[in-house]
Amino acid sequence: MRITMITPAQPGSKAGNRATAERWKTLLEKAGHSVGIVTDYRGEPCDAFIALHAWRSVDAVRQFRTTWPERPLIVALTGTDIYRHQQEFPEETLYSMETADALIGLHSLVASDIPTELADKLTTLYQSADGPEAFPEPRKKVQERGFGVCVIGHLREEKDSLRAAYAARLLPDDSRIQVICAGKAYNEDWRAKAEQEMASNPRFQWLGELDKGEARQLMVDSQVMVISSVMEGGANVLSEACRAGLPVIASDIPGNVGLLGNDYAGYFPVGKERALADLLYKVEQDPEFLGTLKHQVSQLAGHFMPEKEQAALKQALRQAVQRCSERH
């Protein structure tokens, strides 16, 4: 099939949605399809259409459905679609979801957070990541400087990006924890907050935006990763951490629990830096607890294999084609 995929993230962007689009293009082309990624759509012909974002891509979804009503449409739901835009922009967001022939959700709890009547359209897809063989060797000199805690992702409200830095301020004096944050500031306000935090918090460093190789080096140099988000559709960096065997401390939101599972030992209440500080200190001071988290993420690594992601994409495409044929 000739598939058009739309994402709001421009070519060259390090945004997660661009990475997702490029990865899906590769997986679908390996399955025999041809895929074009666009950031603007004016009704050009294709055999199927995939929209990343229900709300942000609504104009393209409307254009496709109007121009090619008899062709299959897949909409991939992001965290902001599910946990913000459904409430703030229900007309546009629900239009995309309702008109889609198939929906893709990126964690196992999405079905409970969308309208019940749409759940049968949903395919759960776990974003894949490269295995440990794709990662560099840890730098011993860096690891000897302290207990490394990495936070990787663009600095913005949804990620609650400085929560680990605030938690680090509450650690006992004997802690050797250093929080290293990597990601582009969403705006000047976030840049200023990160720079002010770095100036006043000796346990915190912000590196700005890193390329893939640099981000992977940071991961292997760290003992644990923090994902402090207040909303997530299913963070690909969590997939990367599990595949790399890097323990994760995560906020207890559906987008994290839907990937790590209810029995994961490394959750803290979202937005609560005191609880996060206690958990970080425990993971630093208790090798057995750190080992438990490492074992748990390693056990989860098999969920995030490229062949499983490809199979979920093919399933969503089959479902869209079938539902489309039933409509006509």
Side-chain angles (χ1 to χ4, degrees), residues 23-313:
R23 195 176 62 255
W24 288 3
K25 173 182 167 71
T26 299
L27 292 172
L28 287 166
E29 288 181 340
K30 285 181 179 177
H33 304 288
S34 63
V35 182
I37 300 175
V38 300
T39 55
D40 184 47
Y41 179 70
R42 301 295 175 86
E44 296 85 354
C46 57
D47 299 321
F49 194 80
I50 300 176
L52 271 68
H53 280 284
W55 178 68
R56 293 188 189 281
S57 299
V58 67
D59 290 341
V61 167
R62 207 182 301 276
Q63 178 73 65
F64 177 78
R65 184 52 87 217
T66 301
T67 311
W68 309 103
E70 77 289 354
R71 297 189 182 177
L73 167 66
I74 299 171
V75 173
L77 302 175
T78 66
T80 48
D81 284 329
I82 302 164
Y83 303 110
R84 174 174 292 168
H85 294 150
Q86 274 195 108
Q87 293 76 37
E88 291 185 358
F89 309 105
E91 183 179 346
E92 297 93 338
T93 307
L94 290 173
Y95 169 79
S96 291
M97 294 166 68
E98 289 166 355
T99 198
D101 295 300
L103 298 171
I104 290 176
L106 303 179
H107 67 79
S108 66
L109 300 180
V110 170
S112 60
D113 293 321
I114 63 174
T116 305
E117 65 271 18
L118 300 180
D120 65 339
K121 293 185 182 183
L122 187 68
T123 293
T124 298
L125 176 151
Y126 296 122
Q127 297 186 87
S128 66
D130 292 333
E133 68 281 353
F135 284 73
E137 289 296 313
R139 296 174 296 184
K140 289 185 179 178
K141 286 185 179 180
V142 173
Q143 291 188 320
E144 288 168 359
R145 292 176 197 158
F147 189 93
V149 175
C150 64
V151 181
I152 300 176
H154 293 329
L155 277 62
R156 56 193 180 104
E157 180 185 354
E158 293 85 356
K159 301 289 185 183
D160 197 16
S161 304
L162 296 177
R163 193 60 54 192
Y166 302 153
R169 290 173 172 267
L170 304 176
L171 290 165
D173 290 342
D174 67 341
S175 173
R176 298 177 65 245
I177 284 176
Q178 295 292 320
V179 175
I180 313 296
C181 179
K184 182 180 179 180
Y186 177 69
N187 54 29
E188 284 304 311
D189 182 48
W190 271 102
R191 174 180 293 277
K193 285 198 288 190
E195 290 175 347
Q196 289 165 9
E197 186 66 24
M198 191 160 45
S200 61
N201 184 349
R203 293 190 185 274
F204 177 68
Q205 184 180 6
W206 175 47
L207 303 178
E209 189 169 33
L210 303 182
D211 63 27
K212 182 182 285 188
E214 293 168 333
R216 287 177 171 176
Q217 186 68 64
L218 174 59
M219 288 175 69
V220 298
D221 288 341
S222 302
Q223 278 70 53
V224 69
M225 172 185 284
V226 169
I227 299 177
S228 52
S229 305
V230 298
M231 65 175 72
E232 279 289 355
N236 191 223
V237 73
L238 196 155
S239 308
E240 292 180 335
C242 289
R243 290 276 278 140
L246 176 64
V248 174
I249 302 293
S251 54
D252 58 352
I253 59 170
N256 290 332
V257 178
L259 291 179
L260 292 168
N262 289 319
D263 61 347
Y264 188 69
Y267 294 124
F268 71 96
V270 62
K272 304 296 185 183
E273 62 260 30
R274 176 74 266 173
L276 176 54
D278 292 344
L279 200 53
L280 286 172
Y281 191 61
K282 181 179 181 181
V283 83
E284 178 192 16
Q285 299 294 320
D286 185 346
E288 187 175 338
F289 181 59
L290 180 62
T292 295
L293 296 184
K294 191 173 183 66
H295 175 73
Q296 287 187 307
V297 296
S298 298
Q299 291 292 106
L300 291 166
H303 292 174
F304 308 111
M305 306 293 283
E307 55 269 29
K308 290 192 175 181
E309 186 174 27
Q310 184 187 55
L313 279 171

